Amino acid sequence: MYTGFFGLNSQPFSIAPNPDFLFLSARHAEALAHLRYGLGDAGGFVLLTGEVGTGKTTVSRCLLQELTDQTEVAFILNPTLNELELLAAICDQLRIRYKKADASLKNLTDKITNRLLKNHQAGKNTILIIDEAQHLQPAVLEQLRLLTNLETNTKKLLQVILIGQPELQQLLQRQDLRQLAQRITARYHLMPLTEQEVQQYVSYRLQVAGCSRPVFTAAALKKLFLLSGGIPRLLNLICDRALLGGYSQQKALVDAKLIEQAATEVLAVKMPVQSQPWPWWLWPAVTLLALGAGAAVATLWWN
């Protein structure tokens, strides 16, 4: 709706994890580097954590774009599964055929093992990526560890990337998961953007969408950082609604007021009401009223 008004060829602040719009801040670039390192020959488990909306899934999609045809990937988005369901989901992702009537932990494990060996002999890598991994049950994580037991002298035949919220770090500190924790070869916690990075983030996404001119005022960008905390998903929600507000009011520049209005609408944020100082000519009257009230209270006290 507003794209034509601001000279855009697409919506720059969609919350979909589109790698084309990935702004590689220093933090996101480092997160991507950790994923690459963890998928090296000796890699087993790779851990990427961060608060909701910091860009973990987008970083993982960027990694997927870098992979060649020599890599087979299983991507699981809903990890609220038991052990058998997890193995079945891996088989589905890797297109491993099995009879549901014969599905058992041993049967599915054997089929996955055979695929891993076949891929290794063909010079292919096999990667399992699990998003929202903080929802995994300890028994399921242990089943994952057992799958990674298959290895050569130099590498694991299955490499696992666990992506989740900070609760995932706490989960992996459990005593019964210490063997899995010791197999994590790379881990990174993704932090929100700084104020300077927020400005760069907004400018970058506007440029990708075909607009090189300033759209947000300096005050708007400062307010945007304060209200979003530097979390990319919140930045997208606020900016998208602010652009819509600018279009509806026919404003070529988005100011701080539009940012506040947008945050109120999409985040249910109540902006603090600033109290207005009383006019100078009211102060004498207020002083007389206060003195009169004090005298009345004193009279009642002594009587």
Side-chain angles (χ1 to χ4, degrees), residues 136-139 141 167-182:
L136 290 170
Q137 297 298 317
L141 284 167
E167 296 89 332
L168 179 58
Q169 295 181 355
Q170 302 172 4
L171 176 61
L172 294 175
Q173 291 176 1
R174 288 173 53 114
Q175 183 68 13
D176 55 340
L177 294 176
R178 64 188 183 280
Q179 287 182 295
L180 187 151
Q182 291 174 3

Side-chain angles (χ1 to χ4, degrees), residues 252-273:
L253 280 176
V254 174
D255 55 23
K257 185 177 180 180
L258 280 172
I259 292 293
E260 289 183 356
Q261 292 173 349
T264 302
E265 293 174 7
V266 301
L267 306 178
V269 175
K270 290 185 178 181
M271 303 308 300
V273 179

Side-chain angles (χ1 to χ4, degrees), residues 116-179:
L116 295 177
L117 289 171
K118 183 179 178 179
N119 283 349
H120 176 64
Q121 292 169 359
K124 288 185 176 182
N125 296 321
T126 310
I127 299 174
L128 171 62
I129 301 176
I130 301 181
D131 205 354
E132 301 291 346
Q134 72 275 1
H135 296 302
L136 290 170
Q137 297 298 317
V140 177
L141 284 167
E142 177 62 14
Q143 186 65 48
L144 279 176
R145 184 188 69 82
L146 295 175
L147 281 179
T148 62
N149 279 342
L150 192 61
E151 59 189 354
T152 67
N153 290 336
T154 58
K155 68 175 294 185
K156 296 282 186 182
L157 298 193
L158 177 65
Q159 297 166 310
V160 182
I161 297 178
L162 299 177
I163 303 172
Q165 297 170 21
E167 296 89 332
L168 179 58
Q169 295 181 355
Q170 302 172 4
L171 176 61
L172 294 175
Q173 291 176 1
R174 288 173 53 114
Q175 183 68 13
D176 55 340
L177 294 176
R178 64 188 183 280
Q179 287 182 295

Side-chain angles (χ1 to χ4, degrees), residues 9-290:
N9 52 39
S10 63
Q11 288 184 301
F13 299 106
S14 170
I15 61 174
N18 186 348
D20 294 337
F21 282 89
L22 175 61
F23 169 69
L24 277 181
S25 70
R27 292 169 172 80
H28 289 82
E30 193 170 355
L32 187 57
H34 274 72
L35 293 183
R36 291 171 181 150
Y37 171 79
L39 294 180
D41 288 341
F45 283 87
V46 182
L47 183 64
L48 175 61
T49 57
E51 286 293 344
V52 176
T54 49
K56 304 181 297 297
T57 302
T58 306
V59 170
S60 67
R61 297 290 174 86
C62 186
L63 177 72
L64 287 176
Q65 283 194 329
E66 299 179 358
L67 300 178
T68 66
D69 294 338
Q70 290 301 104
T71 301
E72 192 170 17
V73 180
F75 204 130
I76 296 179
L77 298 174
N78 180 15
T80 55
L81 310 168
N82 60 33
E83 301 98 295
L84 184 60
E85 291 169 337
L86 173 71
L87 295 180
I90 295 174
C91 287
D92 293 339
Q93 286 287 307
L94 297 179
R95 298 181 181 179
I96 300 173
R97 300 178 64 180
Y98 63 94
K99 295 181 180 180
K100 293 184 178 180
D102 298 331
S104 66
L105 288 177
K106 182 181 184 307
N107 187 23
L108 296 184
T109 299
D110 289 344
K111 287 184 175 295
I112 294 172
T113 299
N114 290 334
R115 174 59 64 84
L116 295 177
L117 289 171
K118 183 179 178 179
N119 283 349
H120 176 64
Q121 292 169 359
K124 288 185 176 182
N125 296 321
T126 310
I127 299 174
L128 171 62
I129 301 176
I130 301 181
D131 205 354
E132 301 291 346
Q134 72 275 1
H135 296 302
L136 290 170
Q137 297 298 317
V140 177
L141 284 167
E142 177 62 14
Q143 186 65 48
L144 279 176
R145 184 188 69 82
L146 295 175
L147 281 179
T148 62
N149 279 342
L150 192 61
E151 59 189 354
T152 67
N153 290 336
T154 58
K155 68 175 294 185
K156 296 282 186 182
L157 298 193
L158 177 65
Q159 297 166 310
V160 182
I161 297 178
L162 299 177
I163 303 172
Q165 297 170 21
E167 296 89 332
L168 179 58
Q169 295 181 355
Q170 302 172 4
L171 176 61
L172 294 175
Q173 291 176 1
R174 288 173 53 114
Q175 183 68 13
D176 55 340
L177 294 176
R178 64 188 183 280
Q179 287 182 295
L180 187 151
Q182 291 174 3
R183 293 190 181 183
I184 298 175
T185 57
R187 62 178 72 206
Y188 190 80
H189 185 74
L190 193 57
M191 298 293 291
L193 303 176
T194 65
E195 183 174 355
Q196 182 179 4
E197 288 171 337
V198 166
Q199 298 174 13
Q200 297 170 348
Y201 177 89
V202 171
S203 177
Y204 175 80
R205 292 187 74 109
L206 287 171
Q207 288 179 5
V208 173
C211 180
S212 58
R213 72 171 181 85
V215 175
F216 294 80
T217 66
L221 291 172
K222 186 175 185 64
K223 181 66 68 174
L224 177 63
F225 170 72
L226 293 175
L227 294 176
S228 68
I231 295 177
R233 185 178 298 165
L234 298 185
L235 290 171
N236 290 346
L237 288 171
I238 297 173
C239 286
D240 182 71
R241 187 58 61 91
L243 288 174
L244 182 60
Y247 165 74
S248 64
Q249 298 179 29
Q250 295 294 290
K251 288 186 175 181
L253 280 176
V254 174
D255 55 23
K257 185 177 180 180
L258 280 172
I259 292 293
E260 289 183 356
Q261 292 173 349
T264 302
E265 293 174 7
V266 301
L267 306 178
V269 175
K270 290 185 178 181
M271 303 308 300
V273 179
Q274 295 182 352
S275 59
Q276 298 295 329
W278 287 346
W280 62 268
W281 47 267
L282 279 180
W283 281 108
V286 172
T287 303
L288 289 176
L289 286 174

